[in-house]
Amino acid sequence: MSTSDPQVPGRDGGKPADTTHFGFRDVPVEQKQKLVAEVFSSVAGKYDLMNDLMSLGIHRVWKRYFVATAQVRPGDRVLDLAGGTGDIAALLKDRVGDTGELVLGDINGAMLRVGRDRMTDRGNVRGFEYVQCNAEKLPFPDASFDLVTIAFGLRNVTDKAAALREMHRVLKVGGQARVLEFSEVTADWFKPIYDFHSFKILPKLGSLFAGDAGSYQYLAESIRKHPPQAELKGMMEAAGFARCGFRNLSAGIVAIHTGYRV
């Protein structure tokens, strides 16, 4: 559904400074972080199962491509923000090797614990660090990472511009930032199908398999409120990144955004 469709509230921008969006609702800025935390604490235990059901498993292909095309070498130090259940970190481990270091960061303690347990169960113990942190105020020194990634997390950040500035700050010169996020579908014929899936099927799946329809209603709404491809590219440029670009996957259901610190 396009941003001009009157049924869908507008994306980021144009709101009073003291309010922001939580799905299609306007809420006080200071409340959004708590509301998002409640969503992800609720779904943490069923997060991977629900991702498989919602995307028919395609999210695993998107994530593998995201990591396979990243600028990363053995021995690099990598920060994976909104690391959740550790899918991206596990894939990155093969790229950085035994001499590399992976910091898995997430603002939500429940999600971070799931990720840590998953890594331990897989035997991935060495080379990992787990940090509960806010992407808008990262607790790391300037120029301390070769690569910073965030997958399916930026849309849940209250101040996206601040998070992008922080990602730029902690990157080394020549380092790469990569964002994998739901975006704006490009094919007009597919938009009604995608909307039906998002607003009719997703909440029902959430109710049946996770006992939580409301959280998945929010997730569908948060996708529609997230800045589309060209707008997010402009936000990365405004944050200081150079050579910014994006690649659509699956007709724009998701997009990979890339920027560099120079």
Side-chain angles (χ1 to χ4, degrees), residues 29 83 126 151 184 200 217:
V29 168
R126 296 181 59 186
E184 187 172 64
K200 300 298 183 182
Q217 178 73 26

Side-chain angles (χ1 to χ4, degrees), residues 166-179:
E166 281 291 273
M167 291 169 67
H168 182 268
R169 179 184 65 78
V170 301
L171 269 180
K172 298 176 182 178
V173 172
Q176 184 186 62
R178 290 174 73 77
V179 178

